C-alpha cells in the first residue's frame, strides 16, 4: 500500500522558491569567476497587508514572480522582450549597490515599503525605501523600481511564463498517480491542467509605477 501524497501548499511553495533564489550562487546559474559581473541577480519586493510580490531577475535570463499567497508565474524569461527588460533592470542594479548594505537576513518588506536584494560578488546586498517616494521618483532607487515594474507590466501584457499554481497542480496530479491511495471507491484523476502563459494577476499591486516606467 502506497502512502497518500499530501496536497501541496501554494503559499509554502512560493516561500521555498523565494528562499531558494536567495541561496543561489553564481555557479548555480552557469557563471564562473571570470564572467560574473558585480550584480548577477536582483529581487524586488513590495506589497500591502494582504500579499507581497517578489520579482526575480537573474543574469541567465530567468524571470519569475512569486506572491506570498501562493500565486505567481515562472519561466517568464523565455519571452525575449521580458529577457530584454530584465537585462535592463540588472544594469540599473549595479549603481544601486551604492545605496545597499550587506544583508545577512532578507525579511519581507513591511507594508508600504519596497525591498531590493542584489545578488553580487560580495554576497547579498539589501536596501529599502518608501513605496510612496519611489512612486513619485523622489529617491535614487526609483529608476530600478520602475524597471522592475516594467518587467511585471510586460509579463502581464504578453501573458509570459507559466502559472505557478497550474504547475503545482500538474506536479500534485503526477504524484498522486505514482502513489495512489488503496481505496475501492476511489479512482485516480487523469485530468491535468494544460494552462500555459496565463498571466498571474499582479497589476493591482503595481499602481502607477508601470505607467511611469514607460516614459
Amino acid at each position: 500500500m502506497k502512502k497518500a501524497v499530501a496536497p501541496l501548499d501554494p503559499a509554502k511553495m512560493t516561500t521555498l522558491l523565494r528562499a531558494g533564489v536567495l541561496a543561489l550562487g553564481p555557479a548555480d546559474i552557469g557563471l564562473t569567476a571570470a564572467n560574473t559581473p558585480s550584480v548577477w541577480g536582483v529581487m524586488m519586493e513590495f506589497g500591502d497587508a494582504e500579499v507581497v510580490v517578489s520579482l526575480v531577475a537573474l543574469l541567465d535570463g530567468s524571470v519569475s514572480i512569486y506572491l506570498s499567497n501562493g500565486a505567481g508565474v515562472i519561466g517568464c524569461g523565455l519571452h525575449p522582450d521580458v529577457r530584454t527588460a530584465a537585462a535592463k533592470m540588472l544594469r540599473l542594479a549595479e549603481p544601486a549597490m551604492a545605496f545597499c548594505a550587506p544583508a545577512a537576513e532578507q525579511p519581507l518588506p513591511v507594508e508600504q515599503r519596497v525591498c531590493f536584494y542584489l545578488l553580487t560578488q560580495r554576497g547579498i546586498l539589501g536596501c529599502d525605501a518608501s513605496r510612496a517616494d519611489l512612486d513619485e521618483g523622489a529617491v535614487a532607487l526609483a529608476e530600478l523600481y520602475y524597471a522592475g515594474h516594467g518587467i511585471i507590466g510586460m509579463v502581464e501584457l504578453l501573458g509570459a511564463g507559466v502559472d505557478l499554481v497550474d504547475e503545482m497542480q500538474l506536479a500534485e496530479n503526477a504524484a498522486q498517480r505514482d502513489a495512489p491511495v488503496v481505496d475501492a471507491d476511489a479512482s485516480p484523476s487523469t485530468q491535468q491542467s494544460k494552462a500555459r502563459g496565463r498571466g498571474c494577476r499582479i497589476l493591482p499591486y503595481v499602481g502607477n509605477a508601470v505607467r511611469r516606467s514607460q516614459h
Side-chain angles (χ1 to χ4, degrees), residues 6-90:
L8 296 171
D9 181 345
K12 182 176 180 180
M13 185 59 66
T14 52
T15 297
L16 291 172
L17 288 169
R18 176 185 184 271
V21 169
L22 293 168
L24 289 173
D28 293 319
I29 62 169
L31 298 175
T32 66
N35 66 2
T36 301
S38 298
V39 180
W40 52 272
V42 60
M43 177 181 288
M44 183 181 84
E45 300 190 297
F46 62 96
D48 55 27
E50 300 298 324
V51 66
V52 172
V53 178
S54 301
L55 166 69
V56 176
L58 303 177
L59 191 65
D60 67 352
S62 301
V63 176
S64 301
I65 302 169
Y66 312 132
L67 274 65
S68 59
N69 63 6
V73 280
I74 57 177
C76 307
L78 292 174
H79 197 292
D81 289 343
V82 175
R83 288 175 70 96
T84 298
K88 175 183 177 181
M89 188 180 188
L90 286 166

Side-chain angles (χ1 to χ4, degrees), residues 29-168:
I29 62 169
L31 298 175
T32 66
N35 66 2
T36 301
S38 298
V39 180
W40 52 272
V42 60
M43 177 181 288
M44 183 181 84
E45 300 190 297
F46 62 96
D48 55 27
E50 300 298 324
V51 66
V52 172
V53 178
S54 301
L55 166 69
V56 176
L58 303 177
L59 191 65
D60 67 352
S62 301
V63 176
S64 301
I65 302 169
Y66 312 132
L67 274 65
S68 59
N69 63 6
V73 280
I74 57 177
C76 307
L78 292 174
H79 197 292
D81 289 343
V82 175
R83 288 175 70 96
T84 298
K88 175 183 177 181
M89 188 180 188
L90 286 166
R91 289 194 300 271
L92 292 171
E94 187 165 341
M97 292 174 67
F99 307 100
C100 297
E105 298 182 351
Q106 303 88 34
L108 292 171
V110 299
E111 190 173 354
Q112 300 306 318
R113 301 290 292 183
V114 179
C115 288
F116 298 92
Y117 295 115
L118 309 185
L119 308 183
T120 79
Q121 293 179 346
R122 295 156 42 192
I124 298 177
L125 304 181
C127 54
D128 74 329
S130 161
R131 186 172 176 184
D133 289 344
L134 289 165
D135 280 337
E136 295 301 322
V139 294
L141 294 166
E143 194 171 3
L144 182 61
Y145 176 69
Y146 296 157
H149 278 299
I151 295 173
I152 295 172
M154 188 167 294
V155 168
E156 284 279 341
L157 178 66
L158 299 173
V162 178
D163 185 273
L164 182 56
V165 174
D166 288 342
E167 284 298 288
M168 290 178 61

